[in-house]
Amino acid sequence: MALNAGTSKWRSFWLAVRGPRLDWWLLGSLLLLAGLGLATLYSAGAGNMSLVEGQAARFGLGLALLWLISRIPPQQLREWTPWLYAGSTLLLVVVIVLGEGRGADRWLNLGIMRFQPSELLKLTMPMMVAWYLHSRRLPPGWKDIIVVGGLIAIPSGLIAEQPDLGTATLVAAAGAFALFLSGMAWWRIGLLVGAAASAVPLGWHFMHEYQRDRIRTLLNPEADPLGNGWHIIQSKIAVGSGGIFGKGFEHGTQSRLDFLPEHTTDFIFAVYSEEFGLIGVIAVLLLYVFIIGRCLWIAMQARDTYSRLLAGAIGMSFFVYVFVNGGMVAGMLPVVGVPMPLISYGGTSAVSLLTGFGMLMTIHASFKRRS
């Protein structure tokens, strides 16, 4: 009996340490992408190891949170969702009073570190929309669509007021994707898209002047080549000069000669394109496609509405990151400060992304346990 009891304790300990069955395909892809990001950061930063070590530490924190979140059942996450959404939205109000930053109040100084509360909404927004729709009849009618619209508009408006239009767009998109995946009728989607398009002139009126300048620059960057158009022009030069096979690792000139601004953050993908060329760009885009496809596969396998909508929204939000940053670097979209996921230097963004993938891991583990 004592031997059996001891064996049972060791088995329980092993199961606790092992945790849930992770999606190793997804985790391996994320680790490969993070490795590419660190290598590109090393080159873009001219061998500055402090940048690489700092980003590696953030990746370590993000992976630790991924593992921790993967151990929490989706049902528990669903119960916590309203409180997490309310808390993260309240932090946005605190930012208005106590926030700090360069030209925009986006950060809270916690003493040992600075924290960007808007990053939390990239996770709690799709969680909240999925939570609300979980117990409703689907596809949603106009009443539920209006309620969800309010849930999206409040934090998105607070983030836009900081001002941070790029993050506000990502947060709104995360909530909109959860609503779209709920099976909303196409004619309703068409009406909403039409209403959003008709509101563009009104949105232009409320934009800050520098935000309007970014749109004007997109249409004609050569109008101010040494000012507002400098970012886009130098980025396009870097991307084009890479050719088919690239100039080689650490042989990019646009960043090393300081022609390309923000070459470790928003425009690091231009550095990657210059050094690895079209072949390298296709390879990393295929890796992104695999990650997004894996997210949508997990969403399709999910057993309940909450898990399905949350997993799908996280995957599609990841797509928006790639699409917006890639379009910005190629000069096809305005410069809005959206990083290339797991490649651009940035702490809070990398941690929040990996935390979101932790939610996908626990959803994957939940249907693996039942199968």
Side-chain angles (χ1 to χ4, degrees):
M1 294 292 291
L3 180 61
N4 290 337
T7 303
S8 178
K9 288 181 179 180
W10 277 109
R11 184 173 183 272
S12 299
F13 174 78
W14 168 245
L15 290 174
V17 171
R18 187 184 68 174
R21 285 181 280 183
L22 297 175
D23 185 342
W24 294 106
W25 286 103
L26 180 57
L27 182 59
S29 302
L30 293 172
L31 291 175
L32 177 58
L33 188 59
L36 285 173
L38 291 176
T40 307
L41 181 62
Y42 176 83
S43 178
N48 186 342
M49 285 304 299
S50 63
L51 286 177
V52 178
E53 291 168 357
Q55 187 73 344
R58 295 179 178 95
F59 283 155
L61 175 60
L63 289 170
L65 290 172
L66 181 152
W67 180 81
L68 180 63
I69 296 296
S70 71
R71 298 175 60 83
I72 302 174
Q75 296 82 359
Q76 187 64 61
L77 288 176
R78 188 172 71 239
E79 292 178 7
W80 292 346
T81 290
W83 300 103
L84 294 173
Y85 171 83
S88 56
T89 303
L90 181 61
L91 285 176
L92 295 179
V93 179
V94 175
V95 168
I96 296 176
V97 180
L98 303 176
E100 59 181 36
R102 294 186 303 171
D105 297 332
R106 303 174 185 175
W107 303 82
L108 289 178
N109 193 336
L110 304 181
I112 59 174
M113 61 176 291
R114 291 204 310 163
F115 169 66
Q116 190 173 358
S118 58
E119 289 290 333
L120 290 176
L121 268 299
K122 295 178 183 177
L123 302 176
T124 60
M125 174 59 73
M127 290 174 70
M128 187 62 193
V129 176
W131 175 87
Y132 178 80
L133 295 175
H134 173 78
S135 58
R136 265 70 180 180
R137 183 178 178 180
L138 300 181
W142 283 118
K143 178 182 176 181
D144 290 330
I145 292 173
I146 291 172
V147 172
V148 169
L151 293 173
I152 295 173
I154 293 172
S156 298
L158 290 172
I159 296 170
E161 188 63 25
Q162 292 178 358
D164 188 354
L165 190 58
T167 301
T169 301
L170 291 173
V171 169
F177 280 129
L179 180 61
F180 170 76
L181 293 171
S182 67
M184 190 167 59
W186 283 104
W187 68 271
R188 296 183 193 271
I189 295 175
L191 286 177
L192 292 176
V193 171
S198 64
V200 168
L202 181 62
W204 177 270
H205 175 74
F206 285 100
M207 281 184 177
H208 295 268
E209 191 59 33
Y210 78 91
Q211 293 171 335
R212 297 174 185 166
D213 286 340
R214 288 178 176 179
I215 297 177
R216 297 187 188 106
T217 300
L218 172 68
L219 299 175
N220 186 17
E222 287 75 16
D224 188 11
L226 299 180
N228 292 325
W230 181 262
H231 286 70
I232 293 178
I233 292 173
Q234 298 304 319
S235 179
K236 291 166 71 173
I237 291 174
V239 172
S241 64
I244 301 297
F245 300 102
K247 296 179 178 179
F249 183 60
E250 293 191 273
H251 287 86
T253 56
Q254 289 300 104
S255 62
R256 290 182 174 271
L257 297 177
D258 286 332
F259 285 108
L260 183 65
E262 306 295 340
H263 52 265
T264 61
T265 53
D266 294 344
F267 286 89
I268 195 171
F269 197 59
V271 178
Y272 177 89
S273 302
E274 183 181 17
E275 296 188 356
F276 296 100
L278 179 62
I279 300 299
V281 170
I282 291 175
V284 78
L285 289 180
L286 287 175
L287 183 56
Y288 278 127
V289 168
F290 177 81
I291 292 172
I292 295 166
R294 193 68 179 177
C295 294
L296 297 180
W297 178 81
I298 291 174
M300 289 189 294
Q301 300 296 319
R303 295 291 192 265
D304 62 87
T305 300
Y306 175 83
S307 298
R308 184 176 71 253
L309 297 182
L310 177 58
I314 290 175
M316 293 305 296
S317 297
F318 191 77
F319 162 76
V320 172
Y321 267 96
V322 178
F323 178 78
V324 172
N325 184 271
M328 180 181 73
V329 166
M332 300 172 63
L333 292 174
V335 177
V336 292
V338 173
M340 183 61 81
L342 300 183
I343 292 184
S344 295
Y345 178 79
T348 313
S349 175
V351 172
S352 66
L353 278 170
L354 291 172
T355 302
F357 282 108
M359 297 179 186
L360 283 160
M361 295 292 181
T362 192
I363 293 170
H364 172 266
S366 68
F367 69 72
K368 290 291 284 185
R369 289 193 195 100
R370 297 182 184 182
S371 59

